[in-house]
Amino acid sequence: MFPLLTVNGAAVSTEDDVFDVESIAVEFDHESGNTHACTACGNPIAQTTTGWIDDDGEQDCPASADSPPTGHQAHPLPLSWCNSAAIQLEEEQDAVTVSISVGDPRGAFTFTVTRVPEDADTELAGCLLLHMPYPKEPFEHAPLQEIRPGTYRVGSAASPLPRHLAHSNT
C-alpha cells in the first residue's frame, strides 16, 4: 500500500525516511498558553484573577475608543482546544485509526475502522467495523455525554465566561 500524504491539498513526498508512512500526526503549539484573543484588537490574551491581559501584561485594550480605555473582549482562538490529531495505518490489523487529543497530552479519543478477515468464522467476515469512544468507557480521554445517537458533548458542562470577564476587565 502506498498512501499519499497531502498538506492543504498539495502532495508531500513520503519516499524519504523523513516520514513514517504508517503514522502521520499534527501537533499544535500552545506554548504561549493563550487560548483566547481580544475581539477588538486581535491580540492574544490570557485570563488572570483580575481579568484579561495581553502578552505585554496590559489589561486595557489598545482598540478601545472609551475614555478611560476598557479591557480586552475575549473570544476563544480556533483549535485552541486541540493538542494533536493523528492518523495511523495498521496493515497487520487491516485498520485505520484516527486519534484526536482535546486537552490531555497523555491520551486521545481514538476512532478505528477495521475489516474482519474474510476467513473469520463469523457472520461479520469481510465486514468493516467502526470502533469509537463511548460514555463511561474505561480510561476515557474526557467524559462524554450523549446528546443524540452518534453525537456527544465532550468534557463537563460548558462553563461560559462570566459576563464581566468576557467583555472587559472593569
Side-chain angles (χ1 to χ4, degrees):
M1 175 174 58
F2 299 98
L4 176 64
L5 172 64
T6 63
V7 176
N8 295 331
V12 177
S13 172
T14 57
E15 292 177 6
D16 298 332
D17 289 336
V18 176
F19 294 105
D20 176 359
V21 296
E22 293 179 3
S23 179
I24 302 296
V26 175
E27 295 186 11
F28 295 88
D29 180 15
H30 298 301
E31 288 184 21
S32 72
N34 295 333
T35 58
H36 290 74
C38 178
T39 57
C41 67
N43 291 335
I45 55 176
Q47 188 173 20
T48 68
T49 56
T50 59
W52 294 95
I53 61 169
D54 59 26
D55 288 342
D56 295 328
E58 295 295 324
Q59 287 188 324
D60 292 336
C61 176
S64 173
D66 298 332
S67 183
T70 57
H72 294 286
Q73 300 174 23
H75 75 275
L77 291 171
L79 299 175
S80 61
W81 53 267
C82 186
N83 286 337
S84 66
I87 300 171
Q88 185 172 1
L89 308 174
E90 304 165 58
E91 288 190 58
E92 295 81 31
Q93 288 79 33
D94 199 8
V96 176
T97 298
V98 175
S99 302
I100 303 170
S101 176
V102 299
D104 185 343
R106 297 170 296 170
F109 286 111
T110 59
F111 305 79
T112 302
V113 175
T114 187
R115 181 172 39 197
V116 178
E118 297 282 340
D119 59 354
D121 187 20
T122 175
E123 62 188 36
L124 297 174
C127 293
L128 295 176
L129 302 178
L130 170 64
H131 307 275
M132 57 185 283
Y134 56 90
K136 304 204 185 310
E137 178 180 24
F139 306 109
E140 63 188 349
H141 181 56
L144 296 173
Q145 180 181 12
E146 188 173 58
I147 296 172
R148 61 181 173 274
T151 302
Y152 304 93
R153 181 179 72 205
V154 176
S156 56
S159 54
L161 295 171
R163 190 168 185 82
H164 71 284
L165 289 179
H167 297 291
S168 75
N169 290 329
T170 56

